[in-house]
Amino acid sequence: MVYLVGKLKDRSRRFTTGIRALNRILSPGFLSGRLYLFLGTSGGFKSGLLLSCAKWLKYYNTDMKPKRNPASIPTILFISNENSIAESVARLFAMTVPGCDAIEDMTAEDVIDKLKHEGKMMLTDENGVDIIMQYYNDRQIDTNELYGIIEDIENSGREVMVLILDYIKRIRAAESGHGDERIELKNASNELKSLAQNLDIPVITAMQINRAGNANVEMGASQSKEDLARFLGVTNVANCWDLIENSDWVCIINMEKKKDD
C-alpha cells in the first residue's frame, strides 16, 4: 500500500490540468502508463483541447521531475498529423496571449517575445517544462516510429513526460489493418496503450464521433436543445468500439452556445 500511494503521489507520473473539475474526474490528473481519448464532433475543438492540454501541463506542473535522467528538461511532445506547426503555433499564441494583435500582423521577434513573457512559454528555473511540436503528414508515420522520435528528442537532453497526438486516425498502426479502418483503429489504440505503459508516460489523443453521432448532435441543435452530448449513445462514439476498450479514460466534448447569444 505504501508503494502504491507513493506511486500515485510521484510528480513524475501525474499531471494536473487547468480545470479543477476535470482534475477531479481524472482523479487527480493525467497519469503515466494510461491512454486518454477525447471524442468530439467534426470541427468540435478537439485539436484546440489537445493544445490546451499542452498549455495546462506546462503551466500547472512546474515541479515535473524527469524519471530517467534527472538532468534533462521535462518535455511535452505534441505531434500533429492534422494541423501544420504554423496553425498550431498561431492557435497556441491566441490561447496564451489574449487580447493581442493578430499573429500575422507581428514580426517573428514580437511573437517570440510575447509567447515567452506574456504567454509564459519560456524556460526558466521556476517553469522548466518544454513543449516540442512536430508535424507529419496524414498517416506518414506509424506507432512504432514514435519510439524513435521520442528517443531522438531524449538524446538532445530532454525527457518526454507526456505525448499528445492529434489525432489517432491520422497515425498508422504498426500492425496493418489490411484496409479495414476498424481493425486499424483497434491496432493503433492498442499500440498507443502499450507505448504509454512501456515508456511510463500518459498518451493523450482524440477521435471524431461517427456520422450518426454528428447527425444526432446537429438534430438536437436544430431543435434548440441543450446538453447535446446526451444524444450520443455507445454506438456513436467512434468507428471502432475497441478504441473505448483500449483507452483508460474517454470523454465526449461538445462546444455549445448559451441560448441568449
Side-chain angles (χ1 to χ4, degrees), residues 2 9 14 33 45 50 52 80 91 103 126 138 148 160 177-178 200 202 207 216 250 255:
V2 173
K9 289 183 177 180
R14 62 180 178 87
F45 199 65
L50 292 176
S52 293
S80 176
R91 206 167 191 182
I103 191 172
E126 293 78 29
D138 181 22
V160 174
H178 302 290
D200 197 26
M207 178 66 189
N216 286 351
V250 182
M255 299 285 283

Side-chain angles (χ1 to χ4, degrees), residues 58-59 89 92-93 96-97 100 103 106-124 126-127 129-131 158:
K58 177 176 173 64
Y59 281 6
V89 169
L92 189 62
F93 183 86
T96 56
V97 191
C100 191
I103 191 172
M106 302 172 63
T107 66
E109 291 75 14
D110 286 340
V111 171
I112 292 170
D113 182 71
K114 287 185 178 294
L115 274 174
K116 281 184 174 181
H117 298 100
E118 294 181 38
K120 301 177 182 177
M121 284 287 151
M122 68 186 303
L123 285 173
T124 68
E126 293 78 29
N127 188 3
V129 181
D130 200 4
I131 298 176
R158 289 167 168 79

Side-chain angles (χ1 to χ4, degrees), residues 112-174:
I112 292 170
D113 182 71
K114 287 185 178 294
L115 274 174
K116 281 184 174 181
H117 298 100
E118 294 181 38
K120 301 177 182 177
M121 284 287 151
M122 68 186 303
L123 285 173
T124 68
D125 292 338
E126 293 78 29
N127 188 3
V129 181
D130 200 4
I131 298 176
I132 289 181
M133 290 186 174
Q134 295 188 1
Y135 171 80
Y136 298 92
N137 291 327
D138 181 22
R139 299 178 61 77
Q140 179 182 348
I141 58 172
D142 66 34
T143 54
N144 267 354
E145 292 176 272
L146 293 172
Y147 289 92
I149 292 168
I150 290 172
E151 184 179 3
D152 288 343
I153 290 171
E154 298 199 342
N155 287 338
S156 69
R158 289 167 168 79
E159 183 171 316
V160 174
M161 308 293 291
V162 182
L163 170 62
I164 301 176
L165 180 66
D166 187 14
Y167 60 102
I168 192 169
K169 189 178 178 180
R170 302 293 190 193
I171 192 168
R172 288 184 287 111

